[in-house]
Amino acid sequence: MPNTTPPLSLNDPRALLRHLFDVAVQRALPLHNTAAFLPPPPKGRTVVIGAGKAGGAMAQAVEALWPADAPISGLVVTRYDHTPPRPAGLKNRIEVVEASHPVPDAAGLAAAQRILQLTQGLTADDLVLCLISGGGSSLLTLPAEGLTLEDKQRINRELLNSGANILEMNTVRKHLSRIKGGRLAAGCAPARVVTITISDVPGDDVSVIASGPTVADATSCADALDILQRYGIDVPPAVRTQLERGELETPKPGDARLIGHEVHLIATPQQSLEAAAAAARAIGLNTYVLSDEIEGESREVGKVHAALARSAALGRSDFKTPCVILSGGETTVTVRPRVEGQAKGKGGRAGEFCLGMAQALNGMAQVWALAADTDGIDGMEDNAGALVAPDTLARAAAQGLKVTDHLARNDAHGYFQPLGDLVVTGPTHTNVNDFRAVLVI
């Protein structure tokens, strides 16, 4: 049967932008990227442990690629509903359990305890494969002495709402944990540890991805305490004292327990942006990749992208139209205080970026944009992100929706859902963080 799918073109900006997002996600899928980094089976046991939104897909990739006659077992934790369907005929050799993200829960605590138990009694003949992806900080939760799960949940919520960036959040998380910040790898000694990871952080710093459970940590208790104070986040007095005394310190670079361990990045934000750029060039678009490390307040980053698009549309920049402008990274959202009687806003970084961009573009006819999280979930909602069109503000106004009202209560979901402009993909089973594409015709 002949292919009846119409070719991508500027006549359908929505389909074009969604295609670029899909290409970016496809580039980061574990099965496509794992084989080159798997070591040979060891003399002793092979234990697989790990955590992250891509955990289920990473475990299946290892099961598919590991020699059929080589024993392998283990436990990986992923987010609820993020375990991909099992391919027909693929033998189940690695257990996958699910837990809560972005706020940890009892299931994540139980999984972390079990994972730490699997590291006990290993020898120098054994191999530990650690599968790490974004989201592991919440999924692999094991509070430090003096902290309860409820304490960790509260601190996590307050960090998420504070506007702290991912480096700051994970610095705190490492020092309030018994498993993060290199502690998991230290617990595996004397076994060899090979970490396979998918980056979701600006700069691909492996010590930040999922709070670096198998990587030495250069941050300190003093750093964590400073961040907590800066954002006004309380911890129990006994824990604060431990931080002040340096008693919750993490394994540092040069720690003998981590020598000889390997870390391999199998997918990164930059690789996904480059794949999307190649797809855009293939259909004749001028393509510009800004950076995979863009941070800042989401709505403000949206306004900056709008300014770049406006300049290109007016012929006032080096960006030649028709073009697509791509960027990645991890922006932040500072949750505004809720006015009494006001409905709670819903949404995430990508949606808030789109609110800021729509407001700044003010209906400019030549510009379309898509922003979405490559894991398929923007914040805690059911969408990956949203799409901005030249008529976004007009269609919203016809329904009585004001972009300023929705920005004031961080309610991107409530703004774009009635317009039919949410980007809904479901879990993608990978995670290389934010993806943004701005099309200027």
Side-chain angles (χ1 to χ4, degrees):
M1 180 180 294
N3 183 4
T4 58
T5 302
L8 290 167
S9 75
L10 297 179
N11 294 327
D12 192 349
R14 292 172 179 267
L16 195 159
L17 290 169
R18 176 58 188 269
H19 171 68
L20 297 183
F21 173 74
D22 291 342
V23 168
V25 169
Q26 189 77 8
R27 173 60 182 83
L29 292 177
L31 188 58
H32 301 162
N33 301 290
T34 301
F37 301 101
L38 286 177
K43 179 179 178 181
R45 300 167 54 203
T46 299
V47 176
V48 180
I49 55 178
K53 298 176 191 174
M58 294 179 82
Q60 288 186 6
V62 172
E63 289 173 325
L65 296 167
W66 198 250
D69 59 349
I72 190 170
S73 63
L75 174 66
V76 172
V77 56
T78 192
R79 183 175 177 165
Y80 289 123
D81 301 320
H82 275 59
T83 304
R86 177 162 292 275
L90 181 63
K91 185 178 179 181
N92 192 342
R93 300 197 275 177
I94 302 167
E95 183 182 358
V96 177
V97 298
E98 297 182 343
S100 176
H101 177 278
V103 177
D105 68 356
L109 174 62
Q113 291 171 329
R114 290 181 60 198
I115 285 171
L116 204 56
Q117 288 170 358
L118 289 176
T119 68
Q120 304 304 303
L122 296 173
T123 73
D125 290 331
D126 298 327
L127 169 68
V128 177
L129 287 178
C130 194
L131 311 180
I132 296 296
S133 57
S137 291
S138 298
L139 297 166
L140 199 64
T141 187
L142 198 57
E145 295 294 337
L147 279 177
T148 65
L149 175 60
E150 290 73 20
D151 290 328
K152 287 294 291 284
Q153 289 171 328
R154 174 187 58 79
I155 293 166
N156 211 56
R157 287 192 190 96
E158 292 181 10
L159 282 169
L160 289 167
N161 292 339
S162 70
N165 65 35
I166 189 64
L167 175 60
E168 292 171 323
M169 287 193 285
N170 285 0
T171 295
V172 172
R173 289 162 168 166
K174 290 176 187 179
H175 290 88
L176 299 183
S177 171
R178 284 181 282 147
I179 199 167
K180 299 182 178 73
R183 292 185 176 93
L184 178 58
C188 294
R192 178 188 179 197
V193 177
V194 175
T195 299
I196 295 174
T197 186
I198 295 175
S199 173
D200 72 326
V201 301
D204 303 329
D205 185 344
V206 293
S207 72
V208 179
I209 303 167
S211 299
T214 62
V215 183
D217 175 36
T219 68
S220 67
C221 284
D223 294 328
L225 193 60
D226 178 68
I227 292 163
L228 289 166
Q229 292 172 336
R230 188 183 316 149
Y231 292 103
I233 299 172
D234 291 328
V235 293
V239 174
R240 177 173 292 276
T241 298
Q242 290 181 78
L243 287 172
E244 291 170 343
R245 294 175 177 173
E247 295 171 358
L248 298 179
E249 206 49 270
T250 49
K252 300 303 175 202
D255 191 301
R257 295 168 295 177
L258 308 184
I259 292 174
H261 292 186
E262 300 174 25
V263 180
H264 301 291
L265 278 166
I266 66 167
T268 69
Q270 184 66 28
Q271 290 170 347
S272 285
L273 289 176
E274 290 171 355
R281 294 186 187 108
I283 56 177
L285 284 170
N286 297 304
T287 305
Y288 306 96
V289 178
L290 297 182
S291 173
D292 69 334
E293 299 187 43
I294 291 178
E295 298 179 87
E297 194 71 22
S298 292
R299 64 182 67 190
E300 301 305 323
V301 175
K303 293 175 183 177
V304 171
H305 281 62
L308 292 173
R310 183 182 298 277
S311 294
L314 297 174
R316 297 175 181 171
S317 78
D318 292 333
F319 294 171
K320 304 304 180 185
T321 59
C323 71
V324 65
I325 302 167
L326 301 172
S327 73
E330 181 161 354
T331 58
T332 54
V333 173
T334 301
V335 177
R336 271 57 180 175
R338 199 190 324 176
V339 176
E340 187 175 350
Q342 184 183 70
K344 182 179 180 181
K346 298 196 299 182
R349 299 188 305 263
E352 186 126 338
F353 169 94
C354 289
L355 282 177
M357 186 159 195
Q359 182 185 48
L361 286 172
N362 196 29
M364 191 167 196
Q366 297 159 265
V367 183
W368 300 70
L370 178 150
D373 196 317
T374 52
D375 69 359
I377 305 296
D378 187 26
M380 299 181 68
E381 305 310 321
D382 58 358
N383 63 304
L387 189 142
V388 176
D391 62 350
T392 293
L393 295 183
R395 287 186 291 120
Q399 297 193 43
L401 304 172
K402 294 182 179 180
V403 70
T404 51
D405 292 346
H406 286 261
L407 277 168
R409 61 176 185 268
N410 306 105
D411 189 26
H413 191 280
Y415 187 84
F416 289 105
Q417 185 182 45
L419 304 181
D421 286 345
L422 294 177
V423 176
V424 180
T425 65
T428 63
H429 312 301
T430 191
N431 181 22
V432 286
N433 229 316
D434 300 341
F435 173 88
R436 297 175 286 269
V438 181
L439 177 64
V440 186
I441 300 174

